Amino acid sequence: MDAVTYSSLAALSQQVFPVSHTDNMPDSPAAVTAPWCLTLLAECVQEAQLRQLKAFLDNRGWPVRGLDILACRPDCSALRLQLDGELDFHDARLALLELAGELGVELTLQPGGTQRTPRLACFDMDSTLIQAEVIDELAKIAGVGDQVAEITLAAMRGELDFQQSFRKRMGLLKGFTETSLAEIAPQLPVMPGAPRLLRALRALGCKTAILSGGFTYFANYLKDNHLAVDVIHANQLEFDGGALTGGVIDPIVDGARKASLLQEIAEEMHLSLEQVIAVGDGANDLPMLSLGALGIAFHAKPKVRAEAPQAIDGFGLDAALYLFGLNDRQIGKLLGE
């Protein structure tokens, strides 16, 4: 299908899913009344994809009770289907992940009640808010890149204990200068969609936190220069004479610590976990991804994508806004676009 308009996408989806549509994008999507929501993300939605999805849902007895078009742009279409019927979330999510791979789209399942703006959003930093693993970048400059990268990959795959791997990696960075850190910070590439998502969350009144196994040095740089972040918890670098000692300042922010911090911040804000979401990419993010209303694996490793409640793979971080039940018109008004 060539570049689509809202009306043509509405007509196409009406053919496949005969539920109510409007000719133009409304100010807000319909209220969620079904027990489940399924969000389809694709660069350009094809009729064959929708028909295969309908057959899949029909075969499982999950009728579509409503459909909203949340986005219709040259680079992204987003459709939200409200699903009825009884389903086991774990089994349904895995089946939909497999189907999404076959169709070449993304399919994200969530309870209908979670289609709302969170009050607290917690983010991993490395490979989530930025397109890099900072410790690997430092290691390359220090000449120990291959050694540190292998330890990092093993840790992210869940093959090594994070705390042990972190201590090993920091030991290899002994002598790295603070001057070099200051030169690296401005070069870290921010993840596409991250500034837009964080600005939208702030406009919606949602507090945001970085909970990272990376370093406060770089998290603070992002907060001061690029991202609308409220709270930071990450690892502190230990210096002596302007250079890294190779040691570690406890407590190390590992997976268990991230989950604990998420709960502590929520309690301090007098929020229930149903008002909290978490976003990350690695195995050490899974504990916090399992806690809130949504746990979004972003551009994640296969193991993490398979275990996390929700996942976004082929789009920018701001695609998470569709999982809050917002359409492009609402998002544009929030951001003054």
PDB file of all heavy atoms in Angstrom, residues 111-146:
ATOM      1  N   PRO A 111      -3.726  -5.046  29.488  1.00  0.00           N
ATOM      2  CA  PRO A 111      -5.067  -4.944  30.062  1.00  0.00           C
ATOM      3  C   PRO A 111      -5.689  -3.591  29.717  1.00  0.00           C
ATOM      4  O   PRO A 111      -4.997  -2.558  29.699  1.00  0.00           O
ATOM      5  CB  PRO A 111      -4.816  -5.068  31.569  1.00  0.00           C
ATOM      6  CG  PRO A 111      -3.505  -5.782  31.674  1.00  0.00           C
ATOM      7  CD  PRO A 111      -2.700  -5.317  30.503  1.00  0.00           C
ATOM      8  N   GLY A 112      -6.994  -3.584  29.444  1.00  0.00           N
ATOM      9  CA  GLY A 112      -7.654  -2.349  29.053  1.00  0.00           C
ATOM     10  C   GLY A 112      -7.494  -1.236  30.067  1.00  0.00           C
ATOM     11  O   GLY A 112      -7.362  -0.059  29.709  1.00  0.00           O
ATOM     12  N   GLY A 113      -7.447  -1.591  31.340  1.00  0.00           N
ATOM     13  CA  GLY A 113      -7.332  -0.594  32.396  1.00  0.00           C
ATOM     14  C   GLY A 113      -6.003   0.128  32.428  1.00  0.00           C
ATOM     15  O   GLY A 113      -5.870   1.165  33.097  1.00  0.00           O
ATOM     16  N   THR A 114      -4.983  -0.401  31.712  1.00  0.00           N
ATOM     17  CA  THR A 114      -3.665   0.254  31.702  1.00  0.00           C
ATOM     18  C   THR A 114      -3.547   1.277  30.584  1.00  0.00           C
ATOM     19  O   THR A 114      -2.508   1.918  30.456  1.00  0.00           O
ATOM     20  CB  THR A 114      -2.534  -0.786  31.559  1.00  0.00           C
ATOM     21  OG1 THR A 114      -2.640  -1.426  30.270  1.00  0.00           O
ATOM     22  CG2 THR A 114      -2.614  -1.836  32.658  1.00  0.00           C
ATOM     23  N   GLN A 115      -4.596   1.433  29.771  1.00  0.00           N
ATOM     24  CA  GLN A 115      -4.565   2.433  28.701  1.00  0.00           C
ATOM     25  C   GLN A 115      -4.858   3.811  29.285  1.00  0.00           C
ATOM     26  O   GLN A 115      -5.915   4.402  29.077  1.00  0.00           O
ATOM     27  CB  GLN A 115      -5.588   2.079  27.628  1.00  0.00           C
ATOM     28  CG  GLN A 115      -5.083   1.093  26.613  1.00  0.00           C
ATOM     29  CD  GLN A 115      -4.557   1.794  25.370  1.00  0.00           C
ATOM     30  OE1 GLN A 115      -5.126   2.761  24.885  1.00  0.00           O
ATOM     31  NE2 GLN A 115      -3.449   1.301  24.831  1.00  0.00           N
ATOM     32  N   ARG A 116      -3.889   4.319  30.015  1.00  0.00           N
ATOM     33  CA  ARG A 116      -4.019   5.636  30.632  1.00  0.00           C
ATOM     34  C   ARG A 116      -2.618   6.180  30.902  1.00  0.00           C
ATOM     35  O   ARG A 116      -1.635   5.442  30.888  1.00  0.00           O
ATOM     36  CB  ARG A 116      -4.805   5.556  31.942  1.00  0.00           C
ATOM     37  CG  ARG A 116      -4.149   4.675  32.999  1.00  0.00           C
ATOM     38  CD  ARG A 116      -4.894   4.706  34.321  1.00  0.00           C
ATOM     39  NE  ARG A 116      -4.191   3.934  35.334  1.00  0.00           N
ATOM     40  CZ  ARG A 116      -4.385   2.656  35.587  1.00  0.00           C
ATOM     41  NH1 ARG A 116      -5.306   2.001  34.897  1.00  0.00           N
ATOM     42  NH2 ARG A 116      -3.699   2.035  36.523  1.00  0.00           N
ATOM     43  N   THR A 117      -2.555   7.475  31.165  1.00  0.00           N
ATOM     44  CA  THR A 117      -1.270   8.095  31.456  1.00  0.00           C
ATOM     45  C   THR A 117      -0.756   7.649  32.816  1.00  0.00           C
ATOM     46  O   THR A 117      -1.493   7.713  33.801  1.00  0.00           O
ATOM     47  CB  THR A 117      -1.413   9.620  31.460  1.00  0.00           C
ATOM     48  OG1 THR A 117      -1.928  10.053  30.199  1.00  0.00           O
ATOM     49  CG2 THR A 117      -0.059  10.285  31.697  1.00  0.00           C
ATOM     50  N   PRO A 118       0.481   7.203  32.907  1.00  0.00           N
ATOM     51  CA  PRO A 118       1.040   6.839  34.212  1.00  0.00           C
ATOM     52  C   PRO A 118       1.316   8.088  35.042  1.00  0.00           C
ATOM     53  O   PRO A 118       1.386   9.206  34.519  1.00  0.00           O
ATOM     54  CB  PRO A 118       2.337   6.120  33.856  1.00  0.00           C
ATOM     55  CG  PRO A 118       2.739   6.731  32.542  1.00  0.00           C
ATOM     56  CD  PRO A 118       1.461   7.007  31.813  1.00  0.00           C
ATOM     57  N   ARG A 119       1.516   7.891  36.335  1.00  0.00           N
ATOM     58  CA  ARG A 119       1.900   8.991  37.219  1.00  0.00           C
ATOM     59  C   ARG A 119       3.405   8.997  37.471  1.00  0.00           C
ATOM     60  O   ARG A 119       3.969   9.994  37.882  1.00  0.00           O
ATOM     61  CB  ARG A 119       1.147   8.853  38.558  1.00  0.00           C
ATOM     62  CG  ARG A 119      -0.371   8.994  38.440  1.00  0.00           C
ATOM     63  CD  ARG A 119      -0.790  10.424  38.197  1.00  0.00           C
ATOM     64  NE  ARG A 119      -0.243  11.320  39.219  1.00  0.00           N
ATOM     65  CZ  ARG A 119      -0.735  11.441  40.456  1.00  0.00           C
ATOM     66  NH1 ARG A 119      -1.783  10.713  40.840  1.00  0.00           N
ATOM     67  NH2 ARG A 119      -0.176  12.281  41.317  1.00  0.00           N
ATOM     68  N   LEU A 120       4.039   7.847  37.216  1.00  0.00           N
ATOM     69  CA  LEU A 120       5.484   7.714  37.364  1.00  0.00           C
ATOM     70  C   LEU A 120       5.990   6.784  36.272  1.00  0.00           C
ATOM     71  O   LEU A 120       5.441   5.696  36.072  1.00  0.00           O
ATOM     72  CB  LEU A 120       5.848   7.147  38.739  1.00  0.00           C
ATOM     73  CG  LEU A 120       7.313   6.746  38.962  1.00  0.00           C
ATOM     74  CD1 LEU A 120       8.236   7.956  38.886  1.00  0.00           C
ATOM     75  CD2 LEU A 120       7.477   6.030  40.304  1.00  0.00           C
ATOM     76  N   ALA A 121       7.028   7.225  35.553  1.00  0.00           N
ATOM     77  CA  ALA A 121       7.643   6.400  34.515  1.00  0.00           C
ATOM     78  C   ALA A 121       9.128   6.252  34.824  1.00  0.00           C
ATOM     79  O   ALA A 121       9.837   7.249  34.977  1.00  0.00           O
ATOM     80  CB  ALA A 121       7.455   7.030  33.137  1.00  0.00           C
ATOM     81  N   CYS A 122       9.593   5.008  34.931  1.00  0.00           N
ATOM     82  CA  CYS A 122      10.984   4.719  35.286  1.00  0.00           C
ATOM     83  C   CYS A 122      11.715   4.136  34.076  1.00  0.00           C
ATOM     84  O   CYS A 122      11.210   3.207  33.445  1.00  0.00           O
ATOM     85  CB  CYS A 122      11.042   3.744  36.457  1.00  0.00           C
ATOM     86  SG  CYS A 122      10.311   4.398  37.982  1.00  0.00           S
ATOM     87  N   PHE A 123      12.904   4.667  33.800  1.00  0.00           N
ATOM     88  CA  PHE A 123      13.647   4.292  32.602  1.00  0.00           C
ATOM     89  C   PHE A 123      15.049   3.799  32.931  1.00  0.00           C
ATOM     90  O   PHE A 123      15.756   4.395  33.755  1.00  0.00           O
ATOM     91  CB  PHE A 123      13.797   5.501  31.662  1.00  0.00           C
ATOM     92  CG  PHE A 123      12.515   6.014  31.096  1.00  0.00           C
ATOM     93  CD1 PHE A 123      11.784   6.980  31.774  1.00  0.00           C
ATOM     94  CD2 PHE A 123      12.030   5.543  29.885  1.00  0.00           C
ATOM     95  CE1 PHE A 123      10.594   7.475  31.260  1.00  0.00           C
ATOM     96  CE2 PHE A 123      10.837   6.025  29.365  1.00  0.00           C
ATOM     97  CZ  PHE A 123      10.117   6.993  30.057  1.00  0.00           C
ATOM     98  N   ASP A 124      15.444   2.733  32.260  1.00  0.00           N
ATOM     99  CA  ASP A 124      16.852   2.404  32.143  1.00  0.00           C
ATOM    100  C   ASP A 124      17.495   3.499  31.290  1.00  0.00           C
ATOM    101  O   ASP A 124      16.796   4.234  30.579  1.00  0.00           O
ATOM    102  CB  ASP A 124      16.985   1.031  31.474  1.00  0.00           C
ATOM    103  CG  ASP A 124      18.416   0.673  31.154  1.00  0.00           C
ATOM    104  OD1 ASP A 124      19.271   0.810  32.036  1.00  0.00           O
ATOM    105  OD2 ASP A 124      18.669   0.272  30.005  1.00  0.00           O
ATOM    106  N   MET A 125      18.799   3.622  31.336  1.00  0.00           N
ATOM    107  CA  MET A 125      19.468   4.668  30.546  1.00  0.00           C
ATOM    108  C   MET A 125      20.192   4.103  29.330  1.00  0.00           C
ATOM    109  O   MET A 125      19.839   4.407  28.193  1.00  0.00           O
ATOM    110  CB  MET A 125      20.463   5.449  31.413  1.00  0.00           C
ATOM    111  CG  MET A 125      21.177   6.570  30.659  1.00  0.00           C
ATOM    112  SD  MET A 125      22.221   7.621  31.716  1.00  0.00           S
ATOM    113  CE  MET A 125      23.500   6.447  32.236  1.00  0.00           C
ATOM    114  N   ASP A 126      21.202   3.257  29.547  1.00  0.00           N
ATOM    115  CA  ASP A 126      22.029   2.781  28.440  1.00  0.00           C
ATOM    116  C   ASP A 126      21.223   1.894  27.503  1.00  0.00           C
ATOM    117  O   ASP A 126      20.561   0.940  27.934  1.00  0.00           O
ATOM    118  CB  ASP A 126      23.228   2.006  28.974  1.00  0.00           C
ATOM    119  CG  ASP A 126      24.198   2.901  29.735  1.00  0.00           C
ATOM    120  OD1 ASP A 126      23.787   3.986  30.189  1.00  0.00           O
ATOM    121  OD2 ASP A 126      25.360   2.513  29.878  1.00  0.00           O
ATOM    122  N   SER A 127      21.265   2.196  26.214  1.00  0.00           N
ATOM    123  CA  SER A 127      20.525   1.476  25.164  1.00  0.00           C
ATOM    124  C   SER A 127      19.015   1.625  25.305  1.00  0.00           C
ATOM    125  O   SER A 127      18.272   0.918  24.635  1.00  0.00           O
ATOM    126  CB  SER A 127      20.908  -0.014  25.117  1.00  0.00           C
ATOM    127  OG  SER A 127      22.282  -0.166  24.825  1.00  0.00           O
ATOM    128  N   THR A 128      18.574   2.550  26.160  1.00  0.00           N
ATOM    129  CA  THR A 128      17.150   2.853  26.290  1.00  0.00           C
ATOM    130  C   THR A 128      16.931   4.345  26.053  1.00  0.00           C
ATOM    131  O   THR A 128      16.271   4.733  25.094  1.00  0.00           O
ATOM    132  CB  THR A 128      16.610   2.435  27.666  1.00  0.00           C
ATOM    133  OG1 THR A 128      16.762   1.020  27.827  1.00  0.00           O
ATOM    134  CG2 THR A 128      15.125   2.767  27.794  1.00  0.00           C
ATOM    135  N   LEU A 129      17.491   5.183  26.890  1.00  0.00           N
ATOM    136  CA  LEU A 129      17.410   6.628  26.687  1.00  0.00           C
ATOM    137  C   LEU A 129      18.543   7.137  25.798  1.00  0.00           C
ATOM    138  O   LEU A 129      18.434   8.199  25.190  1.00  0.00           O
ATOM    139  CB  LEU A 129      17.434   7.363  28.024  1.00  0.00           C
ATOM    140  CG  LEU A 129      16.204   7.169  28.914  1.00  0.00           C
ATOM    141  CD1 LEU A 129      16.391   7.877  30.251  1.00  0.00           C
ATOM    142  CD2 LEU A 129      14.932   7.676  28.233  1.00  0.00           C
ATOM    143  N   ILE A 130      19.632   6.390  25.746  1.00  0.00           N
ATOM    144  CA  ILE A 130      20.734   6.718  24.837  1.00  0.00           C
ATOM    145  C   ILE A 130      21.076   5.495  23.997  1.00  0.00           C
ATOM    146  O   ILE A 130      20.812   4.360  24.399  1.00  0.00           O
ATOM    147  CB  ILE A 130      21.997   7.207  25.590  1.00  0.00           C
ATOM    148  CG1 ILE A 130      22.469   6.162  26.593  1.00  0.00           C
ATOM    149  CG2 ILE A 130      21.729   8.544  26.253  1.00  0.00           C
ATOM    150  CD1 ILE A 130      23.779   6.523  27.288  1.00  0.00           C
ATOM    151  N   GLN A 131      21.677   5.731  22.840  1.00  0.00           N
ATOM    152  CA  GLN A 131      22.016   4.637  21.924  1.00  0.00           C
ATOM    153  C   GLN A 131      23.434   4.146  22.176  1.00  0.00           C
ATOM    154  O   GLN A 131      24.273   4.108  21.258  1.00  0.00           O
ATOM    155  CB  GLN A 131      21.886   5.112  20.479  1.00  0.00           C
ATOM    156  CG  GLN A 131      20.498   5.551  20.080  1.00  0.00           C
ATOM    157  CD  GLN A 131      20.445   5.979  18.625  1.00  0.00           C
ATOM    158  OE1 GLN A 131      20.361   5.165  17.710  1.00  0.00           O
ATOM    159  NE2 GLN A 131      20.494   7.283  18.406  1.00  0.00           N
ATOM    160  N   ALA A 132      23.730   3.796  23.398  1.00  0.00           N
ATOM    161  CA  ALA A 132      25.070   3.331  23.731  1.00  0.00           C
ATOM    162  C   ALA A 132      25.056   2.655  25.088  1.00  0.00           C
ATOM    163  O   ALA A 132      24.169   2.907  25.905  1.00  0.00           O
ATOM    164  CB  ALA A 132      26.054   4.508  23.751  1.00  0.00           C
ATOM    165  N   GLU A 133      26.037   1.773  25.308  1.00  0.00           N
ATOM    166  CA  GLU A 133      26.359   1.268  26.629  1.00  0.00           C
ATOM    167  C   GLU A 133      27.599   2.044  27.062  1.00  0.00           C
ATOM    168  O   GLU A 133      28.700   1.819  26.551  1.00  0.00           O
ATOM    169  CB  GLU A 133      26.638  -0.238  26.592  1.00  0.00           C
ATOM    170  CG  GLU A 133      25.429  -1.100  26.268  1.00  0.00           C
ATOM    171  CD  GLU A 133      24.434  -1.159  27.416  1.00  0.00           C
ATOM    172  OE1 GLU A 133      24.848  -1.014  28.592  1.00  0.00           O
ATOM    173  OE2 GLU A 133      23.228  -1.338  27.137  1.00  0.00           O
ATOM    174  N   VAL A 134      27.425   3.000  27.980  1.00  0.00           N
ATOM    175  CA  VAL A 134      28.492   3.945  28.290  1.00  0.00           C
ATOM    176  C   VAL A 134      29.774   3.245  28.713  1.00  0.00           C
ATOM    177  O   VAL A 134      30.871   3.616  28.295  1.00  0.00           O
ATOM    178  CB  VAL A 134      28.034   4.935  29.383  1.00  0.00           C
ATOM    179  CG1 VAL A 134      29.213   5.781  29.859  1.00  0.00           C
ATOM    180  CG2 VAL A 134      26.947   5.843  28.842  1.00  0.00           C
ATOM    181  N   ILE A 135      29.646   2.227  29.542  1.00  0.00           N
ATOM    182  CA  ILE A 135      30.855   1.569  30.041  1.00  0.00           C
ATOM    183  C   ILE A 135      31.652   0.946  28.896  1.00  0.00           C
ATOM    184  O   ILE A 135      32.883   0.912  28.926  1.00  0.00           O
ATOM    185  CB  ILE A 135      30.498   0.524  31.125  1.00  0.00           C
ATOM    186  CG1 ILE A 135      31.741   0.165  31.937  1.00  0.00           C
ATOM    187  CG2 ILE A 135      29.837  -0.706  30.524  1.00  0.00           C
ATOM    188  CD1 ILE A 135      31.425  -0.601  33.214  1.00  0.00           C
ATOM    189  N   ASP A 136      30.955   0.505  27.852  1.00  0.00           N
ATOM    190  CA  ASP A 136      31.645  -0.031  26.676  1.00  0.00           C
ATOM    191  C   ASP A 136      32.377   1.077  25.926  1.00  0.00           C
ATOM    192  O   ASP A 136      33.486   0.867  25.416  1.00  0.00           O
ATOM    193  CB  ASP A 136      30.650  -0.714  25.740  1.00  0.00           C
ATOM    194  CG  ASP A 136      30.102  -2.005  26.322  1.00  0.00           C
ATOM    195  OD1 ASP A 136      30.559  -2.406  27.404  1.00  0.00           O
ATOM    196  OD2 ASP A 136      29.205  -2.596  25.689  1.00  0.00           O
ATOM    197  N   GLU A 137      31.750   2.252  25.832  1.00  0.00           N
ATOM    198  CA  GLU A 137      32.387   3.371  25.141  1.00  0.00           C
ATOM    199  C   GLU A 137      33.638   3.820  25.880  1.00  0.00           C
ATOM    200  O   GLU A 137      34.666   4.129  25.266  1.00  0.00           O
ATOM    201  CB  GLU A 137      31.399   4.535  25.005  1.00  0.00           C
ATOM    202  CG  GLU A 137      30.150   4.208  24.202  1.00  0.00           C
ATOM    203  CD  GLU A 137      30.471   3.654  22.831  1.00  0.00           C
ATOM    204  OE1 GLU A 137      31.282   4.275  22.116  1.00  0.00           O
ATOM    205  OE2 GLU A 137      29.923   2.585  22.470  1.00  0.00           O
ATOM    206  N   LEU A 138      33.580   3.863  27.212  1.00  0.00           N
ATOM    207  CA  LEU A 138      34.766   4.218  27.996  1.00  0.00           C
ATOM    208  C   LEU A 138      35.876   3.193  27.780  1.00  0.00           C
ATOM    209  O   LEU A 138      37.058   3.546  27.653  1.00  0.00           O
ATOM    210  CB  LEU A 138      34.416   4.288  29.481  1.00  0.00           C
ATOM    211  CG  LEU A 138      33.300   5.247  29.921  1.00  0.00           C
ATOM    212  CD1 LEU A 138      33.181   5.252  31.445  1.00  0.00           C
ATOM    213  CD2 LEU A 138      33.548   6.649  29.408  1.00  0.00           C
ATOM    214  N   ALA A 139      35.477   1.928  27.742  1.00  0.00           N
ATOM    215  CA  ALA A 139      36.467   0.859  27.592  1.00  0.00           C
ATOM    216  C   ALA A 139      37.185   0.927  26.252  1.00  0.00           C
ATOM    217  O   ALA A 139      38.399   0.662  26.168  1.00  0.00           O
ATOM    218  CB  ALA A 139      35.778  -0.492  27.753  1.00  0.00           C
ATOM    219  N   LYS A 140      36.455   1.288  25.197  1.00  0.00           N
ATOM    220  CA  LYS A 140      37.095   1.410  23.876  1.00  0.00           C
ATOM    221  C   LYS A 140      38.207   2.449  23.916  1.00  0.00           C
ATOM    222  O   LYS A 140      39.297   2.235  23.388  1.00  0.00           O
ATOM    223  CB  LYS A 140      36.051   1.794  22.829  1.00  0.00           C
ATOM    224  CG  LYS A 140      35.039   0.706  22.512  1.00  0.00           C
ATOM    225  CD  LYS A 140      33.973   1.235  21.567  1.00  0.00           C
ATOM    226  CE  LYS A 140      32.850   0.223  21.372  1.00  0.00           C
ATOM    227  NZ  LYS A 140      31.751   0.787  20.536  1.00  0.00           N
ATOM    228  N   ILE A 141      37.902   3.586  24.550  1.00  0.00           N
ATOM    229  CA  ILE A 141      38.891   4.657  24.624  1.00  0.00           C
ATOM    230  C   ILE A 141      40.080   4.243  25.495  1.00  0.00           C
ATOM    231  O   ILE A 141      41.228   4.597  25.229  1.00  0.00           O
ATOM    232  CB  ILE A 141      38.232   5.936  25.168  1.00  0.00           C
ATOM    233  CG1 ILE A 141      37.155   6.413  24.184  1.00  0.00           C
ATOM    234  CG2 ILE A 141      39.253   7.040  25.409  1.00  0.00           C
ATOM    235  CD1 ILE A 141      36.278   7.522  24.715  1.00  0.00           C
ATOM    236  N   ALA A 142      39.790   3.454  26.538  1.00  0.00           N
ATOM    237  CA  ALA A 142      40.852   3.011  27.454  1.00  0.00           C
ATOM    238  C   ALA A 142      41.660   1.849  26.892  1.00  0.00           C
ATOM    239  O   ALA A 142      42.635   1.408  27.517  1.00  0.00           O
ATOM    240  CB  ALA A 142      40.237   2.612  28.796  1.00  0.00           C
ATOM    241  N   GLY A 143      41.242   1.319  25.736  1.00  0.00           N
ATOM    242  CA  GLY A 143      41.979   0.224  25.117  1.00  0.00           C
ATOM    243  C   GLY A 143      41.633  -1.151  25.639  1.00  0.00           C
ATOM    244  O   GLY A 143      42.362  -2.115  25.391  1.00  0.00           O
ATOM    245  N   VAL A 144      40.510  -1.253  26.377  1.00  0.00           N
ATOM    246  CA  VAL A 144      40.078  -2.561  26.893  1.00  0.00           C
ATOM    247  C   VAL A 144      38.664  -2.871  26.396  1.00  0.00           C
ATOM    248  O   VAL A 144      37.882  -3.562  27.055  1.00  0.00           O
ATOM    249  CB  VAL A 144      40.136  -2.593  28.440  1.00  0.00           C
ATOM    250  CG1 VAL A 144      41.579  -2.554  28.915  1.00  0.00           C
ATOM    251  CG2 VAL A 144      39.335  -1.451  29.059  1.00  0.00           C
ATOM    252  N   GLY A 145      38.334  -2.348  25.228  1.00  0.00           N
ATOM    253  CA  GLY A 145      36.978  -2.467  24.700  1.00  0.00           C
ATOM    254  C   GLY A 145      36.489  -3.886  24.534  1.00  0.00           C
ATOM    255  O   GLY A 145      35.375  -4.221  24.936  1.00  0.00           O
ATOM    256  N   ASP A 146      37.307  -4.751  23.942  1.00  0.00           N
ATOM    257  CA  ASP A 146      36.866  -6.124  23.692  1.00  0.00           C
ATOM    258  C   ASP A 146      36.606  -6.873  24.996  1.00  0.00           C
ATOM    259  O   ASP A 146      35.622  -7.618  25.109  1.00  0.00           O
ATOM    260  CB  ASP A 146      37.908  -6.874  22.861  1.00  0.00           C
ATOM    261  CG  ASP A 146      37.991  -6.364  21.437  1.00  0.00           C
ATOM    262  OD1 ASP A 146      37.045  -5.664  21.001  1.00  0.00           O
ATOM    263  OD2 ASP A 146      38.998  -6.658  20.758  1.00  0.00           O
TER     264      ASP A 146
END
